Amino acid sequence: ATRRIQRHTVVLERRLESSHTEVSKLRNHLEQVRRDAMTDALTNLANRKAFDEKLDTICADHDEHGGTVSLAIIDIDMFKRFNDTWGHQTGDQVLRYVASAISRIAQMPRVAARYGGEEFAIVFPGETASQVEHVLETLRSDIASRALRRRSTNDDLGVVTISAGVAHRHKNESPLQLMERADAALYVSKRAGRNRISSAQNILSETAA
Ligand code: C2E
């Protein structure tokens, strides 16, 4: 009887071990699915859903603890023209090129995302307005510093440029209002001829003047 119980125990131990392995595999898989749901597959940046959640958390933290928060919205200039002229595959490469430059400057605690088709967003917690604007200016000139080539034909794609709008958050301002101000600043950059950064502060002072 003792031997039978011993054998039975060994079998149960093996089953338990294999269940542990299975649970750990499922946990890893779940983690991967969760990561995929928050990531833009083409650029590997966060997607809009992940960004909106982060922005909410960062704004709530700003209301509670003070400090600074800035938000930049970035748009690739004349992107539709790239797609129409060179095709979607080349358009995708342009998106990856811009995303790669953005991710180089978007280390923690900054958060960057592909926000829409050719639109990106970066939130900067804890940095002064002039630091943020300096970083964006560096990003703009970095992206515009290279001419891209179409890989399949080696055609010269020319220079890719971005326009951006940045807004520095007022305490208790909703994430949506902050977005709207950054968007309005982006519109100013576009109207002023593209390939530039505009700040919502400047828009306010321009309007006041
Ligand atoms: P990717 O093709 O996966 O390249 C990733 C990184 O590998 C590039 O980052 C760059 O650091 C390096 N790399 C790849 N190919 C070359 C090359 O021929 N010469 C040099 N010097 N480095 C190379 P990077 O530059 O930030 O680009 C990120 C993504 O942007 C690339 O991903 C690609 O999808 C796109 N991209 C960049 N430049 C071009 C270009 O001239 N033409 C096209 N079609 N796509 C480009």
Side-chain angles (χ1 to χ4, degrees):
T2 309
R3 252 186 252 125
R4 213 172 43 238
I5 290 170
Q6 274 177 340
R7 275 201 302 273
H8 193 57
T9 309
V10 168
V11 171
L12 284 180
E13 274 174 357
R14 280 195 194 131
R15 276 194 201 150
L16 189 63
E17 208 171 288
S18 116
S19 301
H20 274 155
T21 316
E22 192 61 23
V23 167
S24 141
K25 266 192 211 157
L26 285 173
R27 200 174 280 151
N28 287 343
H29 182 65
L30 187 66
E31 192 47 48
Q32 184 64 44
V33 169
R34 202 175 280 154
R35 256 200 309 271
D36 288 351
M38 294 299 204
T39 307
D40 173 62
L42 179 70
T43 61
N44 262 331
L45 290 176
N47 62 18
R48 183 176 185 149
K49 177 180 155 55
F51 186 81
D52 283 343
E53 283 180 19
K54 279 275 184 199
L55 184 62
D56 281 353
T57 312
I58 289 169
C59 289
D61 191 66
H62 181 217
D63 289 336
E64 198 174 337
H65 299 112
T68 56
V69 172
S70 302
L71 172 77
I73 309 267
I74 296 160
D75 190 85
I76 303 176
D77 294 327
M78 315 293 275
F79 181 71
K80 195 175 170 310
R81 201 191 54 192
F82 274 104
N83 263 343
D84 293 348
T85 315
W86 305 107
H88 285 280
Q89 271 188 352
T90 303
D92 283 355
Q93 300 278 315
V94 170
L95 287 167
R96 278 161 55 87
Y97 172 65
V98 171
S100 156
I102 289 176
S103 51
R104 279 198 293 275
I105 59 122
Q107 274 98 28
M108 284 276 281
R110 299 172 186 161
V111 179
R114 180 172 173 206
Y115 204 71
E118 70 263 29
E119 203 168 77
F120 298 85
I122 313 176
V123 62
F124 300 79
E127 291 178 70
T128 65
S130 63
Q131 277 171 336
V132 170
E133 283 162 31
H134 177 71
V135 170
L136 289 170
E137 188 49 40
T138 311
L139 174 70
R140 186 202 61 74
S141 64
D142 175 31
I143 290 173
S145 69
R146 256 185 65 189
L148 302 195
R149 294 206 155 266
R150 191 181 191 207
R151 290 200 168 145
S152 52
T153 56
N154 211 29
D155 282 320
D156 188 354
L157 299 175
V159 167
V160 172
T161 63
I162 55 158
S163 297
V166 59
H168 308 292
R169 185 173 186 260
H170 310 307
K171 241 185 153 191
N172 295 319
E173 184 177 32
S174 75
L176 185 64
Q177 284 170 326
L178 180 64
M179 275 278 176
E180 281 172 358
R181 286 197 304 119
D183 234 0
L186 167 61
Y187 186 61
V188 170
S189 290
K190 292 282 184 188
R191 262 194 332 201
R194 304 184 178 90
N195 191 18
R196 67 194 66 217
I197 315 290
S198 301
S199 155
Q201 249 78 2
N202 296 341
I203 299 171
L204 291 179
S205 55
E206 270 170 27
T207 315

